[in-house]
């Protein structure tokens, strides 16, 4: 599992012209783009949620858990693009929908169980993601 995290002052995701997930924190929040590969499982999704919740990338080296920062979770299979050969990415490292969709849901639910305010995109949809990256701060998390 890979999670590309961006510290944001706002973020939203739109599907078919309708906003389906949005965070507009009073201070800072996090946008989590989540990619799943073939050997990921529910335990890894929960551990990754804990890692993100405790990650100290907000102002004054605080974490989302320290300040109650909201998190927008968006599925992103392209995080597993293989670009080693040629000019066309291969997606063979990305898990198929029946594996990935439930694990993105487990990840979001685990964040909620930890106390996070979580908004989400729609798995597999053509999503338009808007954000204001604060810093900019962008970090790749892997387990």
């Amino acid at each position: 599992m890979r999670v590309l995290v961006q510290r944001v002052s706002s973020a939203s995701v739109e599907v078919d012209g309708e906003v389906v997930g949005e965070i507009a924190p009073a201070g800072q929040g996090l946008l989590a783009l989540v990619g799943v590969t073939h050997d990921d499982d529910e335990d890894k999704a929960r551990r990754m949620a804990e890692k993100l919740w405790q990650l100290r990338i907000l102002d004054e080296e605080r974490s989302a858990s320290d300040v109650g920062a909201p998190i927008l979770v968006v599925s992103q299979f392209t995080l597993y693009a293989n670009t080693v050969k040629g000019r066309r990415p291969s997606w063979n490292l990305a898990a198929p929908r029946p594996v990935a969709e439930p694990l993105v849901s487990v990840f979001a639910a685990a964040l909620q169980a930890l106390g996070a305010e979580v908004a989400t995109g729609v798995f597999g949809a053509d999503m338009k993601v808007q954000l204001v990256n604060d810093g900019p701060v962008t970090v790749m998390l892997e387990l």
Side-chain angles (χ1 to χ4, degrees):
M1 180 170 275
R2 291 179 179 161
V3 178
L4 184 68
V5 183
Q6 297 184 330
R7 186 175 75 186
V8 299
S9 56
S10 65
S12 65
V13 62
E14 186 179 296
V15 175
D16 295 329
E18 180 181 333
V19 174
V20 297
E22 178 176 34
I23 60 170
Q28 297 173 321
L30 299 174
L31 170 62
L33 302 173
V34 181
V36 178
T37 193
H38 301 280
D39 62 350
D40 290 337
D41 57 25
E42 290 186 10
D43 180 59
K44 190 177 274 189
R46 283 190 282 276
R47 287 186 294 130
M48 185 65 86
E50 170 99 19
K51 185 172 188 167
L52 174 61
W53 186 233
Q54 299 295 331
L55 187 66
R56 299 189 169 282
I57 61 169
L58 301 178
D59 282 347
E60 299 176 12
E61 294 187 16
R62 292 181 294 175
S63 67
S65 69
D66 292 334
V67 298
I71 302 170
L72 176 58
V73 174
V74 177
S75 61
Q76 186 77 32
F77 78 93
T78 61
L79 290 177
Y80 277 100
N82 183 344
T83 59
V84 173
K85 293 177 9 179
R87 295 178 292 167
R88 182 177 297 146
S90 167
W91 311 113
N92 61 343
L93 297 177
R97 183 181 193 133
V99 173
E101 186 172 12
L103 293 180
V104 173
S105 294
V106 167
F107 175 80
L111 284 168
Q112 288 176 319
L114 290 166
E117 173 191 330
V118 176
T120 64
V122 176
F123 192 95
D126 180 16
M127 296 180 276
K128 308 298 183 212
V129 180
Q130 295 185 8
L131 65 129
V132 177
N133 192 315
D134 184 14
V137 174
T138 303
V139 177
M140 178 67 81
L141 298 180
E142 293 186 270
L143 287 178

